[in-house]
Amino acid sequence: MSWSPSSWRDFPIKQQPVYEDRDELKRVEEELRSFPPLIFAGEARNLKKELARAAKGEAFIVQGGDCAESFSAFNGDTIKNLFKLILQMSVVIAYSSGKATIKIGRVAGQFAKPRSSDFEEKDGVKLPSYRGDIINDIAFDEEARKADPKRMIRAYFQSAATMNLLRAFSRGGLADLNEVHRWNLDFIKNHPIGKKYEELSSQIDKAMKFLKAAGVTSENTPQLRQTTLYTSHEALLLNYEEALTRIDSITGDYYNTSAHMLWIGDRTRDLDGAHIEYFRGIKNPIGCKVGPSMKPDELVELVKVLNPENEEGKLNLIVRMGAKKIDELFPPLLRAVRDANLNVVWTIDPMHGNVEKINGFKTRDFENILSEVKSFFNIHKQEGTIAAGVHLEMTGEDVTECTGSTSCPITPDDLSDRYHTQCDPRLNAKQALELAFMLAETFES
Ligand code: PEP
Ligand code: CO
């Protein structure tokens, strides 16, 4: 079966906007096609190698960021705080587990959203649903909700600027292991979880002093002073993804150059659908969400289509069952893939199966999130397989979107205080850090 970056167009497709002005859409696609790539294929190959290590239990994946990035919340502080939070979580996990961490942001391109309904109704007015800032605007009025192709151009430039800052932070000194205290966010410092982090930082300082005495310093050891943060998003809007799919001059293979890793959402993973067709042809490491409706046979077939050469580190299955369903639904899927000798990288998204509505807010309870993560680890332990990482919706800001947690007990009545998400509720920095400490304990036990 021949493949091209546009062959998805011959397949049934879900969750796409309706663009009224087809000529404008074509013009925008042409323009995007002429723009420089945002990543280099060699970086995507490096990530694939690292993911292969995670699948063997030698490294651990921390993937996280917004449910949906927005044009309005685009600023340097938000990006910096997310970067610092990922570094903090990584160091907490690495210190206890002794494993390298692979840092992947849901960032610099995470704009398009699948929706449960094509329309939203308010006070008798029915309008197209908000589908993410790359497609339309969240305001509830007719003009705002029209799908506008030009938004893809803005999303591209915002992604480029975000990526630029992340690369600067990664290489410019902020990620230096001598700077661990600086990663602690101001609004966390005086909370129990911030203090716990400070204690760990002091231990790391001691280790750094010892290394310095032994002659190992940031100056002579780049690994101590810099890091790599990979980027990822759900490749939902295929017009955009196709335009950024390019042939790598070194290998002659096609890579999606809009992010290092792309994933397929739970609502668009039909075997005969356009998204699977698109994904089977790109060489990047890719992910696929695995929700409660997935059947073992279906999953085995899907894995074979998405990773035909059974490459290690190529395919990340992101399990998102919900705390109450994972114990029943996940083991048969895990066994089917294992028994078919298929190489996959298993991670857990404890967010999307645990959504509830309280006081009119879409929220998630921290207890359910922790519980699903723990079940995921336990099941792998029982089956002799590897839990390779976590996939989270989180922010370095002090929001009140998910309820619960010990260090930061947000009640249903607190939700309205700082509920800022464009789409799904995110863990705030304290909650995310608390989750990292829980993972650290899991590794120590
Ligand atoms: C998401 O990751 O934001 C998402 C929509 O997830 P899922 O496809 O698992 O529902
Ligand atoms: Co989401």
Side-chain angles (χ1 to χ4, degrees):
M1 278 187 300
S2 69
W3 181 92
S4 79
S6 63
S7 56
W8 60 271
R9 291 178 188 260
D10 298 329
F11 291 76
I13 189 160
K14 287 184 176 160
Q15 296 284 348
Q16 301 301 294
V18 178
Y19 289 110
E20 282 171 13
D21 188 342
R22 305 295 297 179
D23 292 337
E24 171 86 337
L25 176 63
K26 270 215 163 101
R27 270 195 300 277
V28 165
E29 287 174 345
E30 274 311 307
E31 200 175 343
L32 283 170
R33 244 187 278 283
S34 73
F35 287 168
L38 296 177
I39 63 119
F40 160 56
E43 295 175 306
R45 284 191 285 276
N46 289 343
L47 176 57
K48 204 186 273 184
K49 277 188 212 137
E50 294 201 33
L51 295 177
R53 291 184 60 207
K56 293 194 183 89
E58 294 165 10
F60 191 79
I61 303 160
V62 178
Q63 184 169 17
D66 289 330
C67 177
E69 287 176 276
S70 75
F71 293 167
S72 60
F74 174 47
N75 64 71
D77 283 345
T78 312
I79 298 167
K80 187 171 174 179
N81 288 347
L82 176 67
F83 182 78
K84 283 179 168 181
L85 178 60
I86 295 177
L87 290 184
Q88 283 185 288
M89 295 171 73
S90 298
V91 91
V92 166
I93 292 166
Y95 195 80
S96 65
S97 67
K99 293 176 202 263
T101 49
I102 304 164
K103 303 164 200 69
I104 312 177
R106 279 178 66 113
V107 73
Q110 175 50 28
F111 287 105
K113 298 312 299 173
R115 303 314 307 258
S116 48
S117 166
D118 285 344
F119 292 94
E120 186 180 344
E121 214 170 322
K122 253 189 212 168
D123 306 324
V125 181
K126 194 171 157 190
L127 293 176
S129 291
Y130 169 62
R131 290 188 175 276
D133 277 7
I134 195 171
I135 291 167
N136 57 4
D137 193 288
I138 199 165
F140 193 76
D141 74 61
E142 202 171 333
E143 211 34 52
R145 289 296 170 91
K146 276 195 183 139
D148 176 0
K150 286 197 294 299
R151 286 178 160 266
M152 286 193 257
I153 305 282
R154 181 155 175 198
Y156 169 88
F157 283 112
Q158 181 166 322
S159 301
T162 304
M163 186 88 89
N164 179 56
L165 191 57
L166 291 170
R167 289 187 192 277
F169 288 150
S170 301
R171 300 281 138 148
L174 182 58
D176 194 314
L177 279 169
N178 289 294
E179 299 287 335
V180 281
H181 290 280
R182 264 179 65 198
W183 304 343
N184 215 354
L185 298 157
D186 287 337
F187 64 90
I188 298 190
K189 277 185 184 147
N190 296 321
H191 277 79
I193 206 74
K195 290 190 175 144
K196 198 168 174 180
Y197 177 77
E198 276 302 313
E199 282 166 24
L200 181 90
S201 307
S202 300
Q203 291 177 35
I204 293 171
D205 281 347
K206 274 193 194 153
M208 297 304 287
K209 269 194 198 136
F210 172 73
L211 285 177
K212 194 173 169 193
V216 182
T217 65
S218 300
E219 287 74 42
N220 64 25
T221 313
Q223 291 92 323
L224 296 182
R225 69 167 182 266
Q226 63 191 33
T227 190
T228 302
L229 180 81
Y230 294 101
T231 58
S232 70
H233 62 259
E234 176 178 349
L236 180 66
L237 183 60
L238 293 182
N239 304 72
Y240 180 82
E241 305 301 341
E242 176 192 329
L244 283 156
T245 304
R246 311 284 167 78
I247 291 180
D248 167 39
S249 58
I250 298 173
T251 59
D253 291 327
Y254 278 106
Y255 280 82
N256 179 316
T257 63
S258 75
H260 299 107
M261 177 208 180
L262 293 309
W263 76 85
I264 310 165
D266 197 43
R267 294 180 182 87
T268 49
R269 56 168 171 74
D270 309 70
L271 268 162
D272 55 0
H275 288 84
I276 299 294
E277 171 60 18
Y278 172 75
F279 270 82
R280 78 179 176 89
I282 56 172
K283 278 285 180 181
N284 306 60
I286 58 176
C288 184
K289 294 289 192 86
V290 177
S293 64
M294 181 72 90
K295 300 284 170 284
D297 291 353
E298 183 189 4
L299 182 57
V300 167
E301 206 175 327
L302 195 69
V303 170
K304 287 181 179 164
V305 172
L306 292 175
N307 187 13
E309 288 159 39
N310 204 16
E311 278 177 272
E312 289 180 11
K314 163 77 189 181
L315 179 60
N316 170 210
L317 295 179
I318 310 160
V319 177
R320 35 88 85 222
M321 297 295 174
K324 292 178 186 65
K325 293 186 184 158
I326 185 165
D327 286 331
E328 180 198 340
L329 297 178
F330 178 45
L333 296 169
L334 176 61
R335 287 179 203 133
V337 171
R338 181 195 61 195
D339 296 347
N341 292 318
L342 298 172
N343 289 317
V344 302
V345 187
W346 291 106
T347 60
I348 180 74
D349 161 5
M351 313 302 293
H352 289 88
N354 292 309
V355 180
E356 51 190 319
K357 204 151 192 180
I358 303 182
N359 294 349
F361 290 101
K362 210 174 172 188
T363 187
R364 294 155 168 158
D365 192 65
F366 192 70
E367 283 312 311
N368 290 330
I369 292 168
L370 276 195
S371 156
E372 187 168 1
V373 172
K374 282 182 184 159
S375 296
F376 182 74
F377 272 76
N378 286 338
I379 293 165
H380 278 288
K381 210 169 191 178
Q382 278 160 22
E383 300 294 331
T385 45
I386 301 290
V390 287
H391 180 123
L392 304 168
E393 285 185 344
M394 62 186 212
T395 168
E397 308 304 305
D398 194 16
V399 300
T400 55
E401 297 170 5
C402 294
T403 56
S405 113
T406 325
S407 65
C408 149
I410 294 172
T411 67
D413 286 339
D414 298 328
L415 289 174
S416 60
D417 285 355
R418 294 180 302 283
Y419 193 94
H420 297 315
T421 182
Q422 296 276 112
C423 196
D424 288 341
R426 303 160 293 179
L427 295 173
N428 64 28
K430 289 173 210 153
Q431 292 168 324
L433 202 52
E434 188 167 332
L435 182 92
F437 276 111
M438 186 282 283
L439 285 166
E441 279 164 27
T442 310
F443 285 118
E444 275 162 357
S445 67

